[in-house]
């Protein structure tokens, strides 16, 4: 099963990319695609469309367009659920010890990594960054 991760601009700027990739590989994920991306405002708005009405939408778009990010397609059994477990809660202060967000995130917004939250969203998000993989 495939899922999508994004190493967010805060973690890329802090040079945590290599450690996060090592963590993902140690958890059994295979990296099937990887691309450094600089999201435009339009692309970030489209990616986070479901959050458009939330109060954190504008700051989220602004943060996600603030610098380069790394989009990754990851494969493993139970990839979606396992990746959610490995990254930890949205708020790093609530994330379990040893999770990627607990280790590398600074705040609820600058939280180091994104992961698809369902198999349906994983298919949509993989296709968003890697259209050649199709929506399956
Ligand atoms: P992500 O998994 O990328 O999906 C939505 C993002 O919104 C989430 O990570 C957070 O970085 C961001 N966000 C910012 N503020 C909040 C908040 N108050 N509640 C939930 N998500 C938030």
């Amino acid at each position: 099963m495939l899922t999508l991760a994004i190493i967010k601009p805060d973690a890329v700027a802090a040079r945590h990319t290599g450690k996060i990739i090592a963590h993902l590989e140690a958890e059994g994920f295979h990296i099937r695609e990887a691309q450094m991306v600089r999201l435009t405002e339009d692309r970030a708005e489209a990616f986070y469309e479901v959050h458009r009405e939330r109060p954190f939408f504008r700051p989220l778009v602004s943060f996600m367009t603030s610098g380069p990010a790394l989009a990754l397609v990851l494969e493993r059994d139970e990839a979606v659920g396992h990746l959610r477990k490995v990254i930890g809660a949205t708020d790093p202060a609530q994330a379990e010890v040893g999770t990627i967000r607990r280790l590398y995130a600074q705040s609820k917004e600058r939280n180091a990594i994104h992961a698809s939250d369902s198999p349906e969203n994983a298919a949509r998000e993989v296709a968003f960054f890697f259209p050649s993989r199709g929506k399956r």
Side-chain angles (χ1 to χ4, degrees):
M1 184 200 267
L2 299 179
T3 191
L4 183 96
I6 306 172
I7 301 180
K8 295 188 182 187
D10 60 321
V12 172
R15 287 171 286 184
H16 290 145
T17 304
K19 286 171 282 182
I20 292 173
I21 287 175
H23 193 125
L24 295 171
E25 289 187 328
E27 287 288 345
F29 291 97
H30 294 275
I31 298 168
R32 299 303 189 204
E33 304 278 358
Q35 190 178 3
M36 293 301 301
V37 293
R38 180 73 191 253
L39 285 174
T40 61
E41 194 163 323
D42 282 0
R43 290 274 290 164
E45 287 180 358
F47 186 77
Y48 284 116
E49 187 58 41
V50 295
H51 296 308
R52 187 173 281 278
E53 303 309 322
R54 306 281 201 97
F56 58 80
F57 182 70
R58 293 292 3 144
L60 176 62
V61 167
S62 159
F63 163 57
M64 288 300 289
T65 57
S66 67
L70 180 64
L72 299 169
V73 174
L74 303 174
E75 183 165 15
R76 212 204 92 124
D77 63 315
E78 295 300 328
V80 172
H82 193 70
L83 184 60
R84 299 290 294 183
K85 203 178 298 171
V86 164
I87 74 174
T90 304
D91 182 349
Q94 311 285 321
E96 277 184 46
V97 171
T99 59
I100 291 174
R101 282 170 170 165
R102 181 66 173 256
L103 286 165
Y104 303 114
Q106 298 155 47
S107 66
K108 232 186 221 183
E109 181 178 280
R110 301 174 71 81
N111 66 353
I113 187 165
H114 165 88
S116 308
D117 64 3
S118 67
E120 296 71 29
N121 280 338
R124 182 185 79 83
E125 293 178 0
V126 166
F128 185 91
F129 285 103
F130 302 96
S132 66
R133 284 203 170 250
K135 288 199 171 175
R136 291 190 307 150

